[in-house]
Amino acid sequence: MHASRYINRELSWLEFNQRVLEEALHAEIPLLERLKFLAITASNLNEFFMVRVGGLQQIAAQGSPRPDPAGLSAAEQLRAIGDRTHRMTADQYVCFLSELEPRLAAAGIKRVRREDLVDRQFRVLEQVFENELRAVFTPVAVTGADDFPLVANQTLAVCVRLEPGGTGLPVQSSATSLHSPTQERTGKPVAPEQGTGKPVAPEQGTGKPVAPGAPRFAVIAFGRSASRFVTLPSDGGYVYMLLEDVVAAFVERFFPGEPIVECVPFRITRNADLALREDQAADLLEEMEEVLDARKQGSCVRLEIADRVTTGTLAFLRETLGVEDRQIYPLPGPLDLAAFMQLTELKGFDDLKYEPWPPRPSPDIDPAAAMFDVIARRDVLLYHPYESFDPVVRWIDEAADDPDVLAIKQTLYRTSRNSPMVEALARAAEKGKHVTAIVELKARFDEARNIEWAKNLEQAGVQVIYGVKGLKTHAKICIVVRREPQGIRRYVHFGTGNYNEVTARLYTDASFITCNEDLGADAVNFFNAVTGYSQPQKFRKVEAAPIGLREKLIEMIESETDRKQHGQKARIEAKLNSLVDPGVIDALYAASQAGVKVRLNVRGICCLRPGVKGLSENIGVVSIIDRFLEHGRILYFHHGGDERVFLSSADWMPRNLDRRVELLVPIENPDCRDRLIHILRRNLQDTAKAWALQPDGSHERVKPKKGAKPFRSQEALYREVCDAVREAEQRQRTVFIPHRAAGNG
């Protein structure tokens, strides 16, 4: 048996990111899609450093000896993370420089350097520099930490080293010469452990003038507004130069008469894991705005820099920014590979992209009928992005204008930039309806947008609740209360994804819309508990975190264990984003030891060790990495043949079960239940894009049986939806609807 019953959470997440990177290396995937996967891995790492590494560094600095469930202290985790992320970063640049960039250039998407420019391209760059960059960018003389400019988190900058002497104050100039670095520049990569550099002059770090003969430095920060890709004229395709290369080509124009020794791009990642003291916040919105300001000045957790940097410049930045060797990432190619996502949207390169899979209209929804009539006739289950999210948007839009609608209540966690749903809520309030929005201000990295939405909604007359003190409201629920001839009826939407029509085209998620009386009553109780001071009432059907969801999960797992021990058939299947919670994992281990077959589809983090003899040999875990992000949570329990199926907003993690407001919703409609089981089984059958988790925490690609064709679950599910739409259209064409004379009904 392994030394630990659990896999470390952080290392498990890094293995997930490596699986995404493997898609970027997959030769059969279209070229721009491979670039997209690479950009995603870089974006993922950015957030990982800001949040997970930043948080661990705070714990390690406090000297906490408390280990994680896998037995590792914060310091041990940081060392393991450093080793793994340096290897992953090396893999990213091998992928970009050796695989993708040469192929992109051959396909007509070409990056050029200073030495590649022809005359007309140089003239365009010169114009861009003079008219746009030189007027905007400001070089700042730097002697140390005291006068180092506030370089925004995750933005590019260049560090310029000037020859000793001179004025020590950089000024802008119209000088036209292009200068090459002096012989002091080594041109050799500098590994973190090599970066001891030259002794830093005593004056550096004090904010005082630099002593004669000491190196002089300046920093030019780019900010967020400047475009990273400067388009150049060409005879075909798309030719571009990176912003940092443009600045380097003309850098002497910022420093008239000053010989430039070195101009090297760098990028700072700051700690964004900042605590919000809700118990001391008189105004949560104001407190959150202060947290966002503090995040801009968080400590540096990663320094990325071009590997051509000289040891002296690296030593200066290391001391000035207060970083250790393990936090320095010398890179052999362009910094911020996440920015290359922009190139994946280029027009005219459709042959380098996936075949389009546009969302299809649900065959269960009549586009000519009002959504309230559709839902009143039957429960609606949509599975995005194969099926369009439009009916959910249309339902809320219709509710805003329907004179019979009395109230709308909705949770908002992450919305799109120009959300039609938020606009509909504001319009409903302006029309006199009772509208309540639970806007979660603590949705990390969407805080600023949610603050803006909250203010706009309040101005429109919406009752805005900023979540629950001490918890994040992560549940996805909307209830519409409508006056109808038979009385008041409650229509409810439960989802596994956010109310975001943009990500609904990229993430796999389920929407369930119903006017079931029990679920409607539960929805009302849920909102009353969250928006008021009332104690949560006992729900009829649903379960909510943090008050009962974990207990329900463990109860369902233990029920399967008990049935198996009594000789009955038992089975557990689940589709999740993450599995971390030790209590749930232990319950699954006990089920496995009783002989229960457990099949899990866990996209990202999984701390459970499957296939360990005597512990988990009856548990299998797969992860699917494909063109859509697997995001839905679907749970299945055999339950003695009375199959139980649930949708949930919650992953099986302590944060979801203990520190978030989440929902677990039973799907009892036979058609909807059977379809969710089918979707779950399709995911578990995948032999084209699935990876199987091994006992040691590694993953291996799932391969089809000998002679069998690979089965790609996402493609199969999309084709099935397309077939269902065609069948519905065919049925519609074969229905004869007579024209009736006026007055004949």
Side-chain angles (χ1 to χ4, degrees), residues 508-526:
T508 69
D509 273 306
S511 282
F512 181 65
I513 317 177
T514 183
C515 57
N516 176 276
E517 183 178 343
D518 289 335
L519 292 176
D522 283 350
V524 169
N525 284 339
F526 171 83

Side-chain angles (χ1 to χ4, degrees), residues 411 438 465 467-468 473 524-534 536 661:
T411 60
I438 301 175
I465 307 296
V468 179
T473 303
V524 169
N525 284 339
F526 171 83
F527 275 100
N528 287 344
V530 171
T531 62
Y533 285 103
S534 63
V661 178

Side-chain angles (χ1 to χ4, degrees), residues 575-715:
K575 175 179 174 58
L576 307 161
N577 294 325
S578 302
L579 172 55
V580 176
D581 190 74
V584 176
I585 291 174
D586 288 345
L588 291 171
Y589 284 156
S592 172
Q593 291 164 32
V596 179
K597 292 294 182 183
V598 180
R599 295 295 176 264
L600 305 175
N601 174 204
V602 184
R603 183 197 79 216
I605 304 167
C606 184
C607 296
L608 177 149
R609 293 188 187 275
V612 177
K613 188 174 181 180
L615 179 68
S616 58
E617 62 262 55
N618 288 308
I619 303 177
V621 181
V622 296
S623 169
I624 294 173
I625 307 294
D626 203 349
R627 65 185 292 174
F628 298 135
L629 179 81
E630 294 289 343
H631 190 256
R633 293 94 167 179
I634 305 172
L635 317 180
Y636 167 87
F637 301 91
H638 184 68
H639 203 67
D642 179 21
E643 297 173 308
R644 301 291 175 88
V645 175
F646 301 85
L647 290 177
S648 184
S649 60
D651 286 311
W652 293 355
M653 307 176 72
R655 73 176 189 188
N656 297 87
L657 302 178
D658 296 326
R659 301 189 297 278
R660 290 188 174 186
V661 178
E662 304 273 15
L663 283 172
L664 177 72
V665 183
I667 305 301
E668 297 176 344
N669 178 291
D671 293 337
C672 297
R673 180 192 62 205
D674 291 347
R675 187 173 178 218
L676 288 172
I677 294 173
H678 174 76
I679 291 168
L680 184 53
R681 299 270 164 84
R682 282 302 201 203
N683 286 159
L684 293 170
Q685 291 168 2
D686 199 301
T687 57
K689 294 294 183 178
W691 297 75
L693 177 60
Q694 305 302 302
D696 63 358
S698 64
H699 282 76
E700 293 182 1
R701 280 193 183 272
V702 176
K703 297 180 181 179
K705 293 181 180 178
K706 190 174 182 180
K709 184 180 178 181
F711 177 75
R712 186 181 178 191
S713 61
Q714 290 193 359
E715 182 176 19

Side-chain angles (χ1 to χ4, degrees), residues 73-183:
S73 68
E76 290 171 327
Q77 292 180 72
L78 286 171
R79 284 194 292 272
I81 288 169
D83 291 342
R84 188 67 188 88
T85 52
H86 275 98
R87 295 200 310 273
M88 184 177 294
T89 301
D91 290 345
Q92 288 176 321
Y93 281 87
V94 168
C95 177
F96 181 78
L97 296 173
S98 301
E99 280 280 323
L100 300 187
E101 192 166 50
R103 294 174 187 270
L104 287 167
I109 302 173
K110 185 177 181 181
R111 174 168 69 105
V112 296
R113 284 77 162 176
R114 168 68 184 90
E115 59 270 19
D116 302 322
L117 295 172
V118 298
D119 286 344
R120 63 173 177 156
Q121 292 173 333
F122 178 84
R123 289 195 296 272
V124 168
L125 281 184
E126 187 173 36
Q127 188 174 15
V128 168
F129 180 83
E130 290 294 341
N131 295 342
E132 300 177 28
L133 304 183
R134 187 175 169 215
V136 174
F137 294 167
T138 304
V140 177
V142 180
T143 61
D146 291 346
D147 56 8
F148 199 89
L150 180 60
V151 178
N153 184 31
Q154 302 281 319
T155 60
L156 283 173
V158 293
C159 182
V160 181
R161 182 155 67 103
L162 298 88
E163 279 194 351
T167 65
L169 294 173
V171 293
Q172 296 185 0
S173 165
S174 58
T176 56
S177 64
L178 296 178
H179 195 277
S180 299
T182 69
Q183 60 185 2

Side-chain angles (χ1 to χ4, degrees), residues 372 376 480-484 486-491 515:
F372 291 108
V480 176
V481 181
R482 190 170 188 257
R483 183 194 297 111
E484 298 184 353
Q486 66 273 31
I488 299 297
R489 177 175 276 181
R490 294 167 293 205
Y491 295 80
C515 57

